[in-house]
Structure formats: C-alpha cells, structure tokens
Amino acid sequence: MIKSKWLPLLLAGMLLLVAAGCGDSAPNNTNNTGAGGEGEQPPEKLRSVQLMLDWSANTNHTGLYAAKELGYYEEEGLDVQIVQPGSGGTDAMVAAGNVPFGISYQEGVTLARTQGLPLVSIAAIIQHNTSGFAAPKDKGILKASDFEGKAYGGWGSPVEEAVMKSIMEIDGADVNKVNMINMGDADFFTAVKRDIDFAWIFYAWTGIEAELRGEPLDMIYVKDYSEALDYYTPVIVTNEKLIQEDPELVKAFMRATSKGYDYAIKQPEDAAALLSQAVPDLDAELVLASQKWLSPRYQDDAPRWGEQKAEVWSGYADWMFERQLLEQELEADSAFTNEFLPEQP
C-alpha cells in the first residue's frame, strides 16, 4: 500500500518462484508452548508467533500493532513478532508453514490455491477494494475511456492490463491505445512528474499523501466498474496444516487481532498514535490522516470486522479464469473461512 508498485496484483507471481525452496527461510514456531484460550489466564511463558507483513508497515496493519501494543496478544498467551516479508515472499512462507500468519491479498490466495498451495484467508482486513487508477487533476482523467492516449505507469503484470482492458471496454475504449511504461523504482509522485499520466494506487495511503502534499488526484476505483473487482485486499492468511493441527492457536490469534481492529475502528486517532509509536520511521501526519480515512472502511457494511463472502471469492476468481489469468477454476469455499472470527457480542 505504500506505493503503487507494491500492489497485490504484482506480488502473486512470486508464489511460483519460491514455494519449493523456502523451507529453511525462517524459524518454525510450531514447537512453542500453547496459547491461552478465551477467559483463561495467560500462561507464564508466552508462545512466540511470527506474523509476516506484505510490505512496509502502514495503516492496513494498524489493528495488528494495536493488538500488540495494547497487550491483546499477551492476554491470549502469545508473543507476536511482526516481521517484514522474507526473500521468498509472504504467501509462500505461510503456505509452507515457515511462518504461521501473514498478510496477503485475495488474488494471491486465489493463485496459490489454484496451484496447489494450502493458503487460507482467515479475515478480510478491509471490506471493500480501496484501490484504483489515479491521476493528478491536471491530467483530465475522469473515467476509464480517458486512459486512451495517456501513459500508464506499471510493472508489466498481466493482471494490470486485464483490469484496465475490462473497465475500458465498459466505457467503449481500447486498452491498446494506452502507452504502457515500466515505472522502475520511481514512486507515484516522481513518476507523474516525469513520464506517466496515471498509475494504480491504494487511496488510503498514496491518495491521502497526495492530499497532504497539496497535489489532489482524480481517482477511478476499480470496484465502481465491476462487482467482480470489489475483492478483498488485503487479507490475513494462514495454512491448512495449522488450521487442522492447532486450531486453538488460530482462534487465539484472531481473538486478539479482532480486538485490535475493533480498537482501530472506534479510536482512529489513538490507533494511529500506536502505529506511529511502534514504527517511528513512518510520517505521523500521514499515518493519522490515513487512519481517519481508513478506519470506517475496515468493517464498513459487514456484520463484523473480517467477515468474508463466498460470492466475493468466486466472483473475482471467475473473472480471473475468464481472462486466462488462472490455469483452473477456484474452489472458493476452500480459500477462506470465517470460523476463527469471534462472534458478535
């Protein structure tokens, strides 16, 4: 979410490259002492558990840091270490069991499942897709048909062009009339001043940063063009083996995590302060503004934070399969579960 180049659509391909060779990349925590259940006193010795992020810490992750800083994980008998992604990529590490929990995206889980990797989504961090195509207001890009004749900054992912083609066709426009440019290492703000007109961003971070910089954007959310593109991004993942062998750990982790996100929903300013304190390298002003924008969108219209729907999983997977982005169809019911989310009081 920090910059457009880390969009989830571009991370999924890492699974193919690293799944077979990540066995020794990180310590395995499955032999640590058990977690305390709901209503129990935490054990004297906390169970050490790693949670691997998708990229640098940002407000997608605030609930995790709130749960850690406020002691919610300790109450469940857990010492949760929030770590940066390894060289193998978070999806592959979690699927292989090297790390018990991670942050991923619906498209990454979908690709993993169709390739036989046992990744499972256990919560949607944000209920609706907050990503889309953004351009400085002086570019005059207000709808998908305005992409024609403009320069798009991306990274060559087949999904990028497929999404762009899909929404442009709705507007009667031709994706072949878009000039595709590889952004390289440039961030959004550098690239739009140099050689591109628009790029794909998450508004909660890059869009809010643009507001703070006095460089407002026109934003075209992909979910506004197609229900199939209103997928979950990001999600919390684990693997099938952990679910089968240690469901109490998953329950304990999710009880605390849910409390952390509930806190971030109800107290965005305090939650932003916790994130800035835990990760002092972040711009505190950006964190606060981003958190205020994002907090009501975590749960949005869902009955509880983290809830996932089968039709969202199947809808996006069908969209991918129809566009030959998947080699086989997804068994949606096996890709996610709501069973570890706490019941509403």
Side-chain angles (χ1 to χ4, degrees):
M1 175 169 133
I2 299 293
K3 297 177 183 176
S4 302
K5 71 177 181 178
W6 298 313
L7 276 169
L9 301 170
L10 310 181
L11 297 178
M14 295 172 66
L15 293 168
L16 285 170
L17 302 177
V18 299
C22 62
D24 297 323
S25 299
N28 190 312
N29 295 305
T30 57
N31 293 323
N32 295 321
T33 57
E38 190 170 12
E40 299 177 4
Q41 293 297 320
E44 293 184 7
K45 184 176 181 181
L46 299 177
R47 180 173 184 176
S48 180
V49 174
Q50 283 191 333
L51 165 71
M52 185 169 282
L53 299 181
D54 48 336
W55 201 258
S56 302
N58 56 68
T59 48
N60 279 352
H61 312 130
T62 306
L64 307 169
Y65 283 93
K68 182 175 177 65
E69 298 299 316
L70 295 172
Y72 297 156
Y73 289 126
E74 287 190 19
E75 290 172 5
E76 296 290 347
L78 303 178
D79 175 17
V80 172
Q81 301 138 25
I82 301 174
V83 300
Q84 293 295 304
S87 59
T90 300
D91 285 351
M93 297 287 282
V94 175
N98 298 114
V99 179
F101 302 104
I103 306 302
S104 184
Y105 311 90
Q106 183 174 330
E107 60 271 35
V109 177
T110 298
L111 183 62
R113 299 292 310 186
T114 57
Q115 294 173 348
L117 297 180
L119 205 63
V120 181
S121 173
I122 52 178
I125 290 179
I126 305 171
Q127 192 60 212
H128 295 284
N129 189 349
T130 62
S131 75
F133 296 102
K137 284 189 171 292
D138 61 4
K139 303 290 186 179
I141 299 176
L142 304 177
K143 55 187 183 301
S145 59
D146 294 332
F147 296 165
E148 287 190 349
K150 299 295 196 300
Y152 169 73
W155 299 270
S157 164
V159 182
E160 285 179 285
E161 186 169 345
V163 170
M164 194 182 302
K165 182 176 187 291
S166 177
I167 69 173
M168 288 182 73
E169 285 177 347
I170 293 172
D171 274 358
D174 183 0
V175 72
N176 294 315
K177 295 181 180 179
V178 179
N179 181 19
M180 304 285 188
I181 295 177
N182 192 313
M183 284 176 63
D185 293 331
D187 68 9
F188 175 81
F189 297 100
T190 301
V192 293
K193 289 180 174 65
R194 188 183 65 189
D195 51 13
I196 71 166
D197 297 306
F198 69 109
W200 199 337
I201 70 166
F202 285 99
Y203 194 83
W205 196 261
T206 306
I208 298 300
E209 182 179 0
E211 291 181 12
L212 295 177
R213 294 166 66 122
E215 302 176 21
L217 306 175
D218 285 315
M219 185 78 178
I220 299 172
Y221 292 98
V222 295
K223 69 178 177 62
D224 292 342
Y225 272 81
S226 170
E227 285 188 12
L229 297 178
D230 191 13
Y231 51 86
Y232 299 123
T233 176
V235 297
I236 299 176
V237 293
T238 187
N239 63 74
E240 288 181 355
K241 184 177 180 181
L242 188 64
I243 287 175
Q244 294 166 0
E245 296 184 355
D246 199 349
E248 291 305 314
L249 170 59
V250 185
K251 289 177 183 177
F253 176 81
M254 286 309 302
R255 280 194 297 267
T257 300
S258 295
K259 286 179 67 175
Y261 277 99
D262 285 342
Y263 182 88
I265 290 167
K266 295 170 183 175
Q267 303 187 61
E269 294 186 6
D270 292 339
L274 288 175
L275 177 59
S276 292
Q277 176 182 327
V279 191
D281 289 344
L282 294 176
D283 181 332
E285 182 184 14
L286 174 55
V287 169
L288 177 58
S290 173
Q291 196 62 60
K292 288 181 177 179
W293 189 90
L294 191 57
S295 281
R297 291 170 171 83
Y298 286 136
Q299 181 174 338
D300 205 292
D301 55 359
R304 56 183 170 172
W305 173 82
E307 188 90 15
Q308 301 173 83
K309 297 178 182 178
E311 56 264 34
V312 175
W313 280 90
S314 59
Y316 184 58
D318 290 347
W319 182 93
M320 294 180 74
F321 184 73
E322 289 165 3
R323 285 154 183 81
Q324 300 181 331
L325 298 169
L326 297 177
E327 294 182 359
Q328 63 186 57
E329 294 182 273
L330 174 72
E331 293 182 9
D333 290 342
S334 65
F336 79 98
T337 179
N338 291 318
E339 70 172 297
F340 298 107
L341 296 174
E343 295 294 331
Q344 288 289 86

